[in-house]
Amino acid sequence: MSQFHRHLTVNWRDRLRLVFLRWLGARLGQGVVAQRGCSLLRFPHNISVGDSTVLKKDVQICSCNSSAKVEIGSHSTIGDSGYIYASERISIGSKVLIAPFCYLVDGNHGTAKSIPIRDQPLKTAPIVIEDDVWLGARVTVLPGISIAQGAIIAAGSVVTKPVPAYEIWGGVPARKLGQRT
Protein backbone atom coordinates (compact mmCIF):
# COMPACT_ATOMS: atom_id res chain seq x y z
CA MET A 1 0.00 0.00 0.00
CA SER A 2 1.34 3.43 -0.94
CA GLN A 3 1.94 6.18 1.61
CA PHE A 4 -0.89 8.14 0.00
CA HIS A 5 -3.39 5.29 0.40
CA ARG A 6 -2.44 4.74 4.06
CA HIS A 7 -3.57 8.32 4.83
CA LEU A 8 -6.65 8.38 2.59
CA THR A 9 -9.93 8.60 4.45
CA VAL A 10 -13.14 7.55 2.77
CA ASN A 11 -16.39 8.88 4.19
CA TRP A 12 -20.04 7.94 3.64
CA ARG A 13 -20.42 10.64 0.97
CA ASP A 14 -17.60 9.07 -1.05
CA ARG A 15 -19.31 5.67 -0.81
CA LEU A 16 -22.66 7.15 -1.83
CA ARG A 17 -21.00 8.90 -4.79
CA LEU A 18 -19.72 5.51 -6.03
CA VAL A 19 -23.21 4.04 -5.85
CA PHE A 20 -24.52 6.94 -7.92
CA LEU A 21 -21.70 6.73 -10.52
CA ARG A 22 -22.28 2.98 -10.89
CA TRP A 23 -26.02 3.64 -11.25
CA LEU A 24 -25.13 5.98 -14.16
CA GLY A 25 -23.36 3.04 -15.79
CA ALA A 26 -19.69 3.68 -15.03
CA ARG A 27 -17.61 0.54 -14.52
CA LEU A 28 -15.74 1.08 -11.27
CA GLY A 29 -13.53 -1.60 -9.74
CA GLN A 30 -13.26 -2.64 -6.11
CA GLY A 31 -11.85 -0.03 -3.75
CA VAL A 32 -12.26 2.91 -6.14
CA VAL A 33 -12.51 6.29 -4.40
CA ALA A 34 -14.27 9.24 -6.07
CA GLN A 35 -13.95 12.32 -3.89
CA ARG A 36 -16.16 15.43 -3.68
CA GLY A 37 -16.97 17.06 -7.00
CA CYS A 38 -15.81 14.11 -9.11
CA SER A 39 -17.87 13.92 -12.32
CA LEU A 40 -18.17 11.26 -15.02
CA LEU A 41 -19.79 13.15 -17.87
CA ARG A 42 -22.02 12.55 -20.92
CA PHE A 43 -21.61 8.79 -21.51
CA PRO A 44 -20.45 7.33 -18.15
CA HIS A 45 -21.11 3.76 -19.36
CA ASN A 46 -18.03 4.25 -21.63
CA ILE A 47 -15.77 4.94 -18.63
CA SER A 48 -13.98 2.18 -16.73
CA VAL A 49 -11.80 2.62 -13.66
CA GLY A 50 -9.70 -0.22 -12.23
CA ASP A 51 -9.47 -1.47 -8.66
CA SER A 52 -8.13 0.80 -5.91
CA THR A 53 -7.88 3.86 -8.15
CA VAL A 54 -8.43 7.27 -6.57
CA LEU A 55 -10.21 10.11 -8.33
CA LYS A 56 -9.45 13.17 -6.20
CA LYS A 57 -11.63 16.25 -5.68
CA ASP A 58 -13.23 17.86 -8.73
CA VAL A 59 -11.87 15.38 -11.30
CA GLN A 60 -13.84 15.46 -14.55
CA ILE A 61 -13.79 12.50 -16.90
CA CYS A 62 -15.82 12.84 -20.07
CA SER A 63 -16.68 10.35 -22.76
CA CYS A 64 -17.68 13.09 -25.20
CA ASN A 65 -19.74 10.93 -27.57
CA SER A 66 -21.39 7.52 -27.64
CA SER A 67 -18.31 5.75 -29.01
CA ALA A 68 -15.58 7.52 -26.98
CA LYS A 69 -13.85 5.34 -24.36
CA VAL A 70 -11.91 6.18 -21.21
CA GLU A 71 -10.04 3.35 -19.47
CA ILE A 72 -8.05 3.81 -16.28
CA GLY A 73 -6.09 0.90 -14.81
CA SER A 74 -5.82 -0.19 -11.19
CA HIS A 75 -3.95 1.50 -8.33
CA SER A 76 -3.75 4.83 -10.17
CA THR A 77 -4.45 8.34 -8.88
CA ILE A 78 -5.95 11.27 -10.76
CA GLY A 79 -5.16 14.46 -8.82
CA ASP A 80 -7.47 17.30 -7.84
CA SER A 81 -9.17 19.08 -10.75
CA GLY A 82 -7.80 16.69 -13.37
CA TYR A 83 -9.59 16.80 -16.75
CA ILE A 84 -9.78 13.79 -19.05
CA TYR A 85 -11.85 14.39 -22.20
CA ALA A 86 -12.10 11.62 -24.80
CA SER A 87 -13.67 12.04 -28.22
CA GLU A 88 -12.09 8.76 -29.39
CA ARG A 89 -10.08 6.93 -26.68
CA ILE A 90 -7.91 7.70 -23.68
CA SER A 91 -6.20 4.75 -22.02
CA ILE A 92 -4.34 5.15 -18.71
CA GLY A 93 -2.44 2.19 -17.31
CA SER A 94 -2.02 0.86 -13.79
CA LYS A 95 -0.03 2.50 -10.99
CA VAL A 96 -0.10 5.85 -12.81
CA LEU A 97 0.19 9.07 -10.81
CA ILE A 98 -1.45 12.11 -12.35
CA ALA A 99 -0.88 15.22 -10.22
CA PRO A 100 -3.43 18.03 -9.78
CA PHE A 101 -4.68 20.19 -12.66
CA CYS A 102 -3.55 17.88 -15.50
CA TYR A 103 -5.42 18.03 -18.80
CA LEU A 104 -5.69 15.13 -21.25
CA VAL A 105 -7.71 15.72 -24.43
CA ASP A 106 -7.70 13.52 -27.54
CA GLY A 107 -9.42 15.97 -29.88
CA ASN A 108 -8.73 19.36 -31.41
CA HIS A 109 -10.62 21.75 -33.67
CA GLY A 110 -9.63 22.42 -37.26
CA THR A 111 -8.18 25.80 -38.19
CA ALA A 112 -9.30 26.47 -41.78
CA LYS A 113 -9.73 30.21 -42.30
CA SER A 114 -12.90 29.82 -44.37
CA ILE A 115 -14.95 28.21 -41.54
CA PRO A 116 -15.54 29.64 -38.06
CA ILE A 117 -13.50 27.63 -35.54
CA ARG A 118 -16.61 26.56 -33.62
CA ASP A 119 -17.92 24.94 -36.85
CA GLN A 120 -14.68 23.10 -37.73
CA PRO A 121 -14.70 19.30 -37.66
CA LEU A 122 -12.97 17.75 -34.66
CA LYS A 123 -9.67 15.97 -35.33
CA THR A 124 -9.08 13.11 -32.87
CA ALA A 125 -6.28 10.69 -32.06
CA PRO A 126 -6.09 8.34 -29.04
CA ILE A 127 -3.94 9.04 -25.99
CA VAL A 128 -2.17 6.08 -24.37
CA ILE A 129 -0.43 6.35 -21.01
CA GLU A 130 1.22 3.09 -20.00
CA ASP A 131 1.84 1.68 -16.49
CA ASP A 132 3.97 3.39 -13.81
CA VAL A 133 3.90 6.86 -15.39
CA TRP A 134 4.04 10.07 -13.35
CA LEU A 135 2.58 13.31 -14.71
CA GLY A 136 3.54 16.35 -12.61
CA ALA A 137 1.09 19.13 -11.81
CA ARG A 138 -0.50 21.04 -14.70
CA VAL A 139 0.75 18.71 -17.46
CA THR A 140 -1.17 18.87 -20.75
CA VAL A 141 -1.20 15.80 -23.02
CA LEU A 142 -2.34 16.47 -26.58
CA PRO A 143 -4.13 14.17 -29.07
CA GLY A 144 -2.27 11.17 -30.46
CA ILE A 145 0.36 11.04 -27.73
CA SER A 146 1.67 7.87 -26.13
CA ILE A 147 3.68 7.96 -22.92
CA ALA A 148 5.51 4.67 -22.41
CA GLN A 149 5.96 2.70 -19.20
CA GLY A 150 7.84 4.35 -16.36
CA ALA A 151 8.13 7.80 -17.94
CA ILE A 152 8.03 11.00 -15.89
CA ILE A 153 6.67 14.29 -17.20
CA ALA A 154 7.74 17.44 -15.30
CA ALA A 155 5.18 19.86 -13.91
CA GLY A 156 3.79 22.42 -16.34
CA SER A 157 4.85 20.52 -19.46
CA VAL A 158 2.91 20.26 -22.72
CA VAL A 159 3.46 16.83 -24.30
CA THR A 160 3.38 17.07 -28.11
CA LYS A 161 5.50 14.00 -29.02
CA PRO A 162 5.53 10.34 -27.93
CA VAL A 163 7.62 9.73 -24.80
CA PRO A 164 9.77 6.56 -24.65
CA ALA A 165 9.89 4.25 -21.62
CA TYR A 166 11.64 5.43 -18.45
CA GLU A 167 12.57 8.84 -19.86
CA ILE A 168 12.09 12.12 -17.99
CA TRP A 169 10.61 14.91 -20.09
CA GLY A 170 9.72 18.52 -19.38
CA GLY A 171 9.07 21.92 -20.90
CA VAL A 172 6.80 23.60 -23.42
CA PRO A 173 6.87 21.73 -25.69
CA ALA A 174 8.20 18.81 -23.64
CA ARG A 175 11.60 17.37 -24.55
CA LYS A 176 13.87 14.74 -23.02
CA LEU A 177 15.62 15.92 -19.84
CA GLY A 178 17.00 12.62 -18.59
CA GLN A 179 16.51 8.93 -17.94
CA ARG A 180 15.28 7.02 -14.89
CA THR A 181 18.03 4.90 -13.40
Side-chain angles (χ1 to χ4, degrees), residues 51-147:
D51 295 344
S52 300
T53 287
V54 177
L55 308 174
K56 300 283 284 193
K57 291 182 302 191
D58 300 319
V59 165
Q60 290 187 14
I61 302 173
C62 182
S63 169
C64 296
N65 59 61
S66 61
S67 62
K69 304 284 187 213
V70 178
E71 301 153 342
I72 302 172
S74 61
H75 302 280
S76 293
T77 300
I78 312 298
D80 295 345
S81 299
Y83 292 86
I84 301 170
Y85 284 78
S87 291
E88 188 173 328
R89 185 174 64 88
I90 296 178
S91 175
I92 298 170
S94 294
K95 298 184 178 177
V96 172
L97 298 177
I98 298 179
F101 305 103
C102 288
Y103 186 75
L104 286 71
V105 59
D106 71 351
N108 212 346
H109 293 280
T111 57
K113 188 167 113 179
S114 61
I115 303 171
I117 289 177
R118 67 175 290 135
D119 297 331
Q120 301 268 343
L122 197 61
K123 298 176 183 176
T124 65
I127 292 174
V128 176
I129 297 176
E130 295 183 4
D131 298 343
D132 187 33
V133 168
W134 176 20
L135 303 182
R138 298 191 187 278
V139 166
T140 299
V141 180
L142 297 180
I145 298 303
S146 61
I147 300 175

Side-chain angles (χ1 to χ4, degrees), residues 29-52:
Q30 293 295 316
V32 168
V33 176
Q35 293 184 330
R36 176 176 41 90
C38 181
S39 301
L40 305 183
L41 304 170
R42 295 193 188 157
F43 297 91
H45 60 277
N46 290 341
I47 299 169
S48 67
V49 179
D51 295 344
S52 300

